[in-house]
Amino acid sequence: MHALLNFKQGVTDTSGVLSSWSTERDCCEWKGVMCSNITSRVTGITLPCSATLQSYEDKMDRSHCLTGSIHLSLLLVELELLDYLDLTNNDFLELQFDYLHNHTCHNLSMATSSRQCVNSSTLRHLDLSHNWNLVINTLKWLPYISSLEYLNLRRIDLSKETNWLQSVTMLPSLSHLNMRDCELKDLSLSLQYANFTKLQFLSLSANEFNSELPKWLFNLSSGIYDLYLSSSSLKGYLPKALLNLHELKDLALDDNNFDGPIPDWLGEFEHLETLCLGDNMFSGSIPTNLGNLSSLITLDVSSNPLTGVVSERNLAKLSKLKNLEISSCSTLIFDFDSHWIPPFQLEELTLGFSNPNLPAWLYTQRSIQFLTIWDSSFKASNKFWNFISRVTEIELQGNLIDGNISNVLLNSTIIYLSSNCLKGGLPILSSNVIYVSLSNNSLSGDMSPLLCGHNVSNEKNNLLFLDISLNNLSGGLTNCWNNWKSLVAVHLGTNNLSGKIPSSMGLLSNLKSLHLHENKLHGEIPHSLKNCHSLLVFNVRNNDLSGNIPDWISKSVMALQLRSNNFIGKIPPQICQMSSLLILDIAYNAIYGHIPSCLGNIKTLVFNNASVNKFRFYSPSFDEDSYLFNDDNLELVTKGQVLEYDKNLHFMTLIDMSSNNLSGAIPFQMFSLIGLLSLNLSNNKLAGKIPNEIGNMKNLESLDFSTNQLGGEIPQSLSSLSFLGYLNLSFNNLTGKIPSGTQLLGFSTLSYIGNRDLCGSPLTKMCFQDDKHKGKELVDEDGNQSKFLTWFYIGLESGFVTGFLGVCCAIFLNRNMRHVCFKLLYNLRDQLYIMVNVNMNPFH
């Protein structure tokens, strides 16, 4: 009890997970504590967090999980019989291992807090996986837990541990090792043997090894059953020494850079159930020997530059096959007998081929749940559409499908049908559909059949994601949105849709992403959209919408894109209350008035803290985490060009108010937005000086103030923006010399032209007046004016006056000198008189 309470002290427990850990109850009754029925001693602690994605939220919620420190040595020593420890999927930040042993002690140099050493324990099972924020700098403590049989460190940062293999091989009883996605980089290629005498499971996938397979891997005990090395930047030919691991059941080498032919000796693995070779650089044909793997359940040879013919000979003996992936950039030829009936019933199938027709045996498969066909050309008959209606998830992308889907009923839960050249009108959706993407096809007609069909109102719809962008749809947006209240994302951009935005869209209270860009919509944005409290992305660029910018848009909005419309009026101050705003794009409208100074209060732009989850939406699927990830996308103008942002959208922060009628000065408060990457205020009527506070925007990469009425000098602080890659200050009334500094001098004259009184490099106009003025003063190395040159000129002038007065006094006080001086002056007068008369005679 004492040890457990000490462990609790190092843990931050905001949601009361450990609320039952109190002295008022027997510790064997505490949540997550397991005790022996015989000795009543603590034998296990299991406190995994159920940090799954909650209700399609835009980020993973771990606020209810445990955080703080894992005081591992305290648990292992005080709980002498601890056998099982599971802290999976929490949010722990540090690992402590610092118990002092009575005998020899060693400095373990742990992640954030460690001092000495610990004796061996009885722990057999240790699972710290999915603590994403946990960083462990060293694994030197592992040998002190010599009893370990199961070790799972998946998704823990071990990037600073270069000798991980040496520490792990000192666990003589280890049978299960999972170090997937741990940012490991060293595979110890020089090592011949690794002391894994009992290892049965090894996963090193999703690391960055960038090397060939190490020799020690082939010398593992023949008892290893599962070997996972996917997505680890491995390369080279597959060595035949892999056959040393003759007991292998699972071999996953997909998503690497292996090349050469697929070895035919792979067919000698008698017990192999999983063979994943997809997403590599394997060439040549698929060896028929793979058909000898009679125990095979999963075969993946997709996304390789394979050639040749695939026939029933490659698959005839694979009676246990459930998952099959064969595809190769339209270079594989399928030559199956049209009457062949496979000995298997597949659950997952991925195909990519160059034949004009689908293989006939496809229609014999009655158990397929996931069907993927890509980069192929075939005719889709009614038989095909009826077949896929029984499939749970279909993904047909990048194909040339000859078929009209006007009256097709789509019944699958997840449907990807983008980029297939599909024709006709929109299909019909059943109530089973949760996700549908029909983007980038040649679909035409209006939206009524899909949204307002007779079957829609009679059934409860569960659709979360609808994408029919990049088609030729016409007509209005319909007014049937009350039937689709479950929608989270609606993408209707780049069509020929017209009319007004219907007020019924305000009934989509769960809506997070709404894209209506590049259509012919007109009128004002309906006030009913204020009911979309969860809206994060609102994109209506390139339409004919009018009226004022709504002041009721959700405060949670992260991206607001209204560019290229007919909006008028002033910028509403309510925008300043959008504390999550990352992208504000209101360019190319008729907005007037001053820029609100309160824009400097937008919290997310004050701090530069981009998150990987910010523009991501979740919906149910059947992948590893049981959720489908959807990254939003936007087309933005920055650095003088149009760029598409999708998976990297969360890294972008932008304010674009260009091409409006904004006037007045640029508020200095705006330059407190130090997280901003792109700022465009060009083509307005802004006046006044550029505030010196612009130097605060240290992360700025793109700045455009061109075609305004800005005056005064360019502030010296602008030259301190070291990340600035694009600058346009042209066509203003700026004056003086362009500030010195490598950053500003690196831009071309196009960044400064159109400012008549601006001078200095890179312009050809020299700063003469500026040089004359500065000839009277000196500037030191820090840019401060020096008084040395000023006093030098004062002394020079004083010396001249004193010398002149001295000569005059000498002449007037000395008689002889006075006579000589006057005689000289008289002679000079006579010579000048004669010279003038002689030169004037020729004109008489």
Side-chain angles (χ1 to χ4, degrees), residues 378-386 388 400-410 417 420-428 438 441-445 449 473:
F378 60 93
K379 182 177 180 62
S381 61
N382 289 333
K383 182 179 181 181
F384 173 75
W385 295 116
N386 290 333
I388 67 171
L400 290 174
I401 300 179
D402 181 11
N404 187 311
I405 62 171
S406 298
N407 297 312
V408 170
L409 174 64
L410 297 178
L417 291 177
N420 290 300
C421 299
L422 292 169
K423 300 185 294 291
L426 291 174
I428 303 168
L438 298 165
N441 283 290
S442 300
L443 301 175
S444 57
L473 300 175

Side-chain angles (χ1 to χ4, degrees), residues 284-286 305-311 328 331-335 354-355:
S285 60
I286 300 174
L306 298 169
T307 57
V309 176
V310 181
S311 68
S328 181
T331 55
L332 279 178
I333 299 175
F334 284 7
D335 186 22
S354 60
N355 300 59

Side-chain angles (χ1 to χ4, degrees), residues 589-789:
N589 283 287
I591 300 166
Y592 58 84
H594 293 186
I595 297 175
S597 60
C598 63
L599 286 177
N601 299 330
I602 301 177
K603 293 180 180 178
T604 47
L605 296 179
V606 173
F607 305 101
N608 186 28
N609 56 349
S611 167
V612 295
N613 294 317
K614 283 186 173 178
F615 284 100
R616 177 165 284 185
F617 309 102
Y618 301 120
S619 53
S621 182
F622 302 92
D623 58 13
E624 179 183 359
D625 296 319
S626 298
Y627 281 82
L628 183 68
F629 300 131
N630 305 301
D631 289 294
D632 216 309
N633 64 290
L634 280 177
E635 190 177 89
L636 302 173
V637 178
T638 181
K639 298 182 180 180
Q641 55 187 325
V642 179
L643 299 174
E644 182 79 19
Y645 290 85
D646 39 49
K647 292 183 178 180
N648 57 348
L649 180 61
H650 60 277
F651 290 114
M652 190 59 188
T653 51
L654 173 144
I655 291 180
D656 191 345
M657 301 180 177
S658 60
S659 300
N660 281 285
N661 294 314
L662 297 172
S663 58
I666 303 174
F668 70 89
Q669 294 92 339
M670 194 172 189
F671 300 111
S672 64
L673 304 178
I674 61 175
L676 199 63
L677 298 181
S678 181
L679 176 61
N680 191 345
L681 304 178
S682 64
N683 289 285
N684 281 289
K685 299 176 181 178
L686 299 171
K689 296 183 177 180
I690 299 175
N692 192 59
E693 287 81 1
I694 195 171
N696 297 331
M697 306 182 78
K698 301 297 183 183
N699 296 295
L700 203 63
E701 298 177 0
S702 178
L703 177 65
D704 194 343
F705 287 168
S706 63
T707 317
N708 278 288
Q709 300 167 15
L710 299 173
E713 295 186 353
I714 299 175
Q716 180 69 37
S717 62
L718 191 61
S719 63
S720 66
L721 303 183
S722 56
F723 292 108
L724 198 62
Y726 179 85
L727 175 67
N728 193 349
L729 301 177
S730 62
F731 299 102
N732 279 286
N733 299 318
L734 299 171
T735 61
K737 184 178 181 180
I738 297 174
S740 59
T742 307
Q743 194 65 27
L744 296 186
L745 297 181
F747 297 107
S748 70
T749 56
L750 296 178
S751 297
Y752 305 103
I753 61 172
N755 292 279
R756 187 179 60 182
D757 297 324
L758 201 61
C759 61
S761 181
L763 297 176
T764 55
K765 182 178 180 180
M766 301 299 293
C767 300
F768 294 112
Q769 294 180 348
D770 186 62
D771 293 340
K772 181 179 178 181
H773 171 72
K774 290 199 173 183
K776 297 181 181 179
E777 56 189 26
L778 191 66
V779 177
D780 60 21
E781 294 179 356
D782 297 325
N784 299 318
Q785 181 177 321
S786 172
K787 298 181 179 179
F788 172 77
L789 197 58

Side-chain angles (χ1 to χ4, degrees), residues 72 76 82-85 97 120-128 139 141-153 167-168 170-177 198-199:
L72 188 57
L76 297 184
L82 188 65
D83 177 76
Y84 190 99
L85 179 59
F97 199 90
S120 60
S121 70
T122 59
L123 191 67
R124 293 186 304 107
H125 183 108
L126 177 60
D127 195 341
L128 305 177
L139 296 175
W141 47 273
L142 272 179
Y144 296 95
I145 317 176
S146 58
S147 55
L148 270 182
E149 299 176 7
Y150 180 101
L151 176 61
N152 192 344
L153 302 177
S167 297
V168 173
M170 297 179 69
L171 301 173
S173 302
L174 195 64
S175 63
H176 182 109
L177 175 61
K198 296 185 178 181
L199 197 63

Side-chain angles (χ1 to χ4, degrees), residues 4 7-8 11-13 15-21 27 29-34 42 44-51 62 64-67 69-70 75 79 82 84-92 125 127-131:
L4 293 175
F7 170 77
K8 180 181 178 181
V11 173
T12 301
D13 181 16
S15 59
V17 174
L18 304 180
S19 59
S20 62
W21 287 32
C27 65
E29 299 177 1
W30 294 356
K31 180 177 180 178
V33 177
M34 299 180 291
V42 174
I45 300 174
T46 173
L47 294 168
C49 180
S50 58
R62 292 179 180 268
H64 61 288
C65 298
L66 299 175
T67 184
S69 300
I70 302 174
L75 292 176
L79 304 177
L82 188 65
Y84 190 99
L85 179 59
D86 182 2
L87 300 176
T88 308
N89 216 26
N90 281 284
D91 194 25
F92 285 106
H125 183 108
D127 195 341
L128 305 177
S129 61
H130 296 278
N131 281 271

